[in-house]
Amino acid sequence: MSFVKIENLNINLGEFKLEDVNLSVEKGDYVTIIGPTGSGKSILLETALGFYTPETGKIFLEETDITNLNPEKRDISIIYQDYALFPHMTVYENIEYGLKKRLNDKKTIKEEIIQITKMLGIDHLLNRKPETLSGGEMQRASIARGLIIKPKILFMDEPFSALDVKTKEKIRVLVKTAIKKYGTTVLHVTHDFEDIWSLADKVLIMKGGRVYQYGTPEEVFSNPSSEIVADFVGTNILDSKVEEISGNISVLDVSGVKIYSSDIAKVGENVKVSIRPENIIVALKCFDSSAKNVFNGKVTEIKKRGHLVWLTLDIGGVDLKVLITPNSLEALEIEENKNLCVMFKATGVKIIR
Ligand SMILES: Nc1ncnc2c1ncn2[C@@H]1O[C@H](COP(=O)(O)OP(=O)(O)OP(=O)(O)O)[C@@H](O)[C@H]1O
Ligand SMILES: [Mg+2]
């Protein structure tokens, strides 16, 4: 039995519906929820919190049906983007606030507060008022406040989105350590794929009030179950025709370019394939490797996004998106129209079923 189970959940808010949401989360899992804006991510969390009444469906927490339970009785904490600390209280008092309801021994309360704030690197700020803190410090204080009461589940709705890239990186590491230490089960809504790479055990992809895929980041990103998911996760989607099967490799024709895939399809079949941008290697010169797909490519576009760089390369009439680091961009002196060697393995070419 799963720790959290959502069964056939339907919600009708007039203009917006959550349709047939099914989800099961194991204890201690860190689940990230992604999807375009307006896809119902926040509504899903708010429904589990008890703010909306489902038309049909049930929500279970540790096998108890909580669908109609009063929100305060659900034992779920939520952290939002805007910190929501009490402005008139110190950091210590903020964190102590919820804990006082659970513990009445001042000494134990103090020990627990010191332990968690040390873990989050804010133990030197306990006497400060929220207005004197930076965004990253405030967010760590609100995470401490949410975690310390040991909720059954911790919800986070874009908790890091107001922070700069460097602060986010630092906070992710601290939060991950604290959450693992507490063994907390987490549902974390985000738009930042870095949260997935560094935190998630599972990813849930939503669009238009529906769940499109749920699985490990590896599964979802390398094997998107539909074109909608593939499009969203930024993968390369190519239309191809299976030319021949050679051993356990499919030889695909993609607009005249031959691409090898280790997924097997029928000869003559038209299939879509996905290739993850980060599974493609670019180099100044081609070199011997296990990559079966090797092409000369011309850089047609360079886009810097956070601390990643998206390149578009034309490999004989087919455009491929490639993800590299700013360091590689500099080291390879990549600029538009430069020719590079493009390599990827046959196992990185997934046929979408
Ligand atoms: N109380 C409500 N009644 C009716 N519609 C609502 C209500 N609250 C939100 N919506 C609509 O439901 C849709 C989904 O909203 P939701 O806030 O869950 O999106 P989201 O996936 O969290 O988006 P974002 O990434 O922008 O936060 C939106 O179109 C929103 O306008
Ligand atoms: Mg939202």
Side-chain angles (χ1 to χ4, degrees), residues 264-282:
I264 299 296
K266 285 198 202 86
V267 174
E269 203 180 340
N270 289 312
V271 291
K272 282 189 193 299
V273 291
S274 82
I275 310 168
R276 284 300 306 156
E278 60 272 33
N279 290 340
I280 302 174
I281 295 168
V282 291

Side-chain angles (χ1 to χ4, degrees), residues 49-176:
L49 283 166
F51 300 168
Y52 299 105
T53 312
E55 274 196 313
T56 63
K58 291 208 177 300
I59 305 169
F60 296 92
L61 183 51
E62 280 194 317
E63 300 185 34
T64 307
D65 184 349
I66 61 160
T67 323
N68 298 309
L69 199 67
N70 195 314
E72 296 96 74
K73 300 228 166 95
R74 294 190 180 207
D75 210 353
I76 305 174
S77 280
I78 183 154
I79 291 161
Y80 293 101
Q81 166 188 344
D82 54 7
Y83 324 126
L85 293 168
F86 302 117
H88 58 285
M89 293 184 188
T90 63
V91 169
Y92 187 93
E93 288 160 350
N94 263 283
I95 301 171
E96 184 190 34
Y97 183 79
L99 193 58
K100 277 200 293 200
K101 293 185 193 154
R102 196 168 64 73
L103 283 177
N104 49 23
D105 170 21
K106 280 252 167 219
K107 188 164 161 271
T108 318
I109 289 179
K110 190 167 181 190
E111 280 166 10
E112 292 206 10
I113 293 176
I114 288 175
Q115 189 193 22
I116 194 160
T117 51
K118 269 198 176 140
M119 241 186 287
L120 291 166
I122 48 165
D123 53 313
H124 58 298
L125 304 172
L126 291 173
N127 296 321
R128 294 262 212 97
K129 289 272 175 62
E131 65 189 12
T132 72
L133 304 177
S134 71
E137 289 163 350
M138 276 198 267
Q139 194 55 303
R140 278 178 281 165
S142 67
I143 289 169
R145 192 177 60 174
L147 263 184
I148 203 163
I149 56 169
K150 302 196 169 107
K152 287 208 174 116
I153 329 174
L154 179 67
F155 285 175
M156 297 201 274
D157 198 345
E158 304 192 37
F160 309 141
S161 59
L163 308 174
D164 63 80
V165 174
K166 278 258 170 315
T167 310
K168 269 193 228 185
E169 264 174 36
K170 188 174 141 201
I171 288 195
R172 279 190 199 107
V173 178
L174 297 170
V175 166
K176 186 173 185 173

Side-chain angles (χ1 to χ4, degrees), residues 41-42 157-158 189:
K41 305 180 295 295
S42 296
D157 198 345
E158 304 192 37
V189 171

Side-chain angles (χ1 to χ4, degrees), residues 13-16 35-44 52 157-158 189 191:
L13 297 176
E15 309 239 307
F16 181 79
T37 178
S39 54
K41 305 180 295 295
S42 296
I43 301 265
L44 177 63
Y52 299 105
D157 198 345
E158 304 192 37
V189 171
H191 284 280

Side-chain angles (χ1 to χ4, degrees), residues 281-287 332 339-343:
I281 295 168
V282 291
L284 292 175
K285 287 217 165 61
C286 296
F287 52 85
L332 300 175
N339 286 306
L340 293 172
C341 180
V342 179
M343 295 174 276

